[in-house]
Amino acid sequence: MNNVCVYCELEEGKISEVSFELLTKGRNLADQLKCQLEALLIGHNLDGFEKEIFPYGVDTLYLADDSRLEPYSTLPHTEITVRLFREQKPQIVLMGATSIGRDLGPRVSSALGSGLTADCTELEIGDHEEKKEKKVYKNLLYQIRPAFGGNIIATIINPDCRPQMATVREGVMKKEIYNLRHTGKIVKLDVKKYVDDECFIVKILERHIEKSKVNIKNSSVIVAGGFGVGSAENFKLLHNLASMLGGEVGASRAAVDAGFAGHERQIGQTGITVRPKLYVACGISGQIQHLAGMQESSIIISINNDPNAPINKIANYVIAGKVETVIPKMIRYYKENTK
Ligand SMILES: Cc1cc2nc3c(=O)[nH]c(=O)nc-3n(C[C@H](O)[C@H](O)[C@H](O)COP(=O)(O)OP(=O)(O)OC[C@H]3O[C@@H](n4cnc5c(N)ncnc54)[C@H](O)[C@@H]3O)c2cc1C
């Protein structure tokens, strides 16, 4: 009762990365609230997934297993989730801000009459004082996200309705095993009791999914280019450096808008969120919307001809110079100094 619950997403028989990121955050929130962490997994052939889920600190795992529940479809997943939450009354529910979470979250929150904050970048626990009513709300979920085009960071609370629901973008939270030996309780839901046959009105006959050709999110080295790179031709230098370092090429929105790189490479508030070991920012000024997607990188190198570029303030190393002269030198010295 009144626990933290994470909806775990399945895609092609695999639990999505964002679900593990949310379980990590969920465990942390549950510890602060001194309650349990629950997870809900809906799909087919679910035996064995507990081995992946329990190490993230899950105390209770709800499984809804039926051949008709995979792949995801809106009505049955919504119905099961809503009925389970009506029964269990979690105080906090977390979902990925993926196409599934963006479809499921609003339906569930609307059915439960609760609020939902989409695309959160941070979640914290804190109190809120309603001065007019002289009332203090304890231990609320602070749902934090950029607002007004990223110009402000808004903290949104839901003092009265439960559950407090939030979707979180992929890659924003850190994924971390809680305890490899941690184990919990498995509750197998009787699917017939949680979803009516009419909910299976849509049958998926065939699925065609085009896999993304770039894997920026999981790359430990990212060489990202901005408008200062100057041209698609100059971007080839970034590709050369990235391939030498075993990394991927990212881009700012200005570089994408200018046609220097494809949209699938855009990093930032309206692109991908990354946290690589090394982020080389080339000709990127460092506006807040870009920083939102990369500021958790372990080491940041900025190459910029403006020594006062805002990105230099968060960079570990700054190389003041032109991208087109600095990068060929980096490639040359790297080749000379590695076997
Ligand atoms: C709602 C909203 C969402 C947004 N989402 C995103 C997002 O997801 N991602 C994102 O990146 N932006 C986003 N933006 C845009 C963002 O505000 C900035 O406009 C953008 O990040 C700027 O990109 P930039 O740094 O490449 O370009 P600029 O700001 O033009 O900076 C270019 C930099 O290159 C340097 N430079 C110029 N020539 C050279 C050279 N030869 N060598 C070295 N350095 C050089 C300049 O000194 C400058 O610092 C968003 C904006 C809004 C309003």
Side-chain angles (χ1 to χ4, degrees):
M1 287 292 261
N2 296 321
N3 291 323
V4 175
C5 187
V6 174
Y7 171 87
C8 292
E9 231 175 77
L10 270 180
E11 186 54 58
E12 296 188 329
K14 273 182 75 183
I15 299 175
S16 66
E17 285 293 296
V18 71
S19 302
F20 294 121
E21 291 159 14
L22 292 179
L23 288 174
T24 307
K25 188 67 190 181
R27 179 69 264 168
N28 175 275
L29 297 175
D31 285 345
Q32 290 181 61
L33 295 166
K34 299 191 174 43
C35 69
Q36 297 211 327
L37 174 63
E38 298 173 340
L40 169 61
L41 187 63
I42 303 176
H44 188 41
N45 290 332
L46 301 181
D47 287 346
F49 279 114
E50 71 280 1
K51 291 193 198 103
E52 290 180 54
I53 289 176
F54 282 140
Y56 285 88
V58 171
D59 301 301
T60 306
L61 170 60
Y62 294 99
L63 297 177
D65 194 331
D66 188 296
S67 60
R68 297 168 300 170
L69 290 171
E70 207 173 334
Y72 170 86
S73 69
T74 306
L75 290 180
H77 279 239
T78 304
E79 196 61 15
I80 293 171
T81 311
V82 168
R83 288 197 196 179
L84 179 72
F85 290 171
R86 278 204 182 115
E87 241 173 57
Q88 297 302 323
K89 300 187 175 23
Q91 57 172 307
I92 291 174
V93 168
L94 307 180
M95 294 181 184
T98 56
S99 39
I100 290 182
R102 287 184 171 133
D103 181 59
L104 181 68
R107 284 171 183 268
V108 173
S109 81
S110 156
L112 296 175
S114 71
L116 169 77
T117 305
D119 279 354
C120 290
T121 51
E122 188 48 74
L123 299 168
E124 286 170 15
I125 300 295
D127 300 338
H128 173 68
E129 189 186 352
E130 201 61 72
K131 290 208 171 88
K132 269 194 201 151
E133 296 170 29
K134 294 201 172 86
K135 201 170 168 187
V136 177
Y137 295 88
K138 290 271 177 205
N139 290 329
L140 293 178
L141 179 69
Y142 288 176
Q143 300 150 55
I144 301 165
R145 54 154 297 158
F148 295 111
N151 290 320
I152 63 158
I153 299 293
T155 299
I156 296 162
I157 50 161
N158 177 0
D160 295 314
C161 304
R162 294 291 174 272
Q164 303 163 90
M165 286 184 65
T167 64
V168 177
R169 284 174 53 182
E170 293 172 86
V172 173
M173 309 265 159
K174 205 169 177 182
K175 159 183 151 180
E176 216 162 43
I177 296 269
Y178 175 69
N179 178 350
L180 276 173
R181 281 194 285 266
H182 181 88
T183 186
K185 187 172 76 176
I186 297 177
V187 179
K188 291 191 175 175
L189 303 177
D190 180 355
V191 171
K192 285 193 281 328
K193 282 194 191 153
Y194 284 84
V195 58
D196 303 327
D197 280 343
E198 299 89 81
C199 288
F200 291 101
I201 193 162
V202 175
K203 267 211 176 74
I204 295 166
L205 303 177
E206 243 180 285
R207 297 175 92 213
H208 295 273
I209 300 172
E210 196 183 338
K211 288 254 176 333
S212 171
K213 291 179 194 85
V214 289
N215 186 11
I216 297 184
K217 207 168 105 39
N218 296 318
S219 185
S220 57
V221 176
I222 294 175
V223 180
F227 193 67
V229 172
S231 65
E233 187 59 28
N234 282 354
F235 247 74
K236 286 185 188 154
L237 288 172
L238 276 58
H239 283 277
N240 291 346
L241 180 64
S243 80
M244 207 177 64
L245 299 175
E248 268 290 359
V249 172
S252 72
R253 179 157 138 182
V256 170
D257 289 348
F260 302 166
H263 182 257
E264 69 283 2
R265 298 191 185 273
Q266 185 179 315
I267 291 167
Q269 191 187 311
T270 39
I272 311 161
T273 304
V274 295
R275 47 170 80 230
K277 289 191 178 133
L278 175 63
Y279 192 89
V280 188
C282 312
I284 294 179
S285 58
Q287 301 305 311
I288 186 165
Q289 295 90 353
H290 186 79
L291 302 188
M294 49 65 72
Q295 61 198 351
E296 297 293 326
S297 307
S298 306
I299 294 177
I300 299 169
I301 301 176
S302 166
I303 305 171
N304 202 302
N305 64 358
D306 174 7
N308 298 317
I311 197 159
N312 294 353
K313 290 201 182 83
I314 65 155
N316 301 82
Y317 301 96
V318 173
I319 303 175
K322 285 187 172 177
V323 169
E324 52 280 32
T325 48
V326 174
I327 294 193
K329 280 187 190 165
M330 283 173 98
I331 294 174
R332 199 171 72 236
Y333 292 136
Y334 189 86
K335 278 185 183 158
E336 279 170 15
N337 292 298
T338 44
K339 287 176 190 161

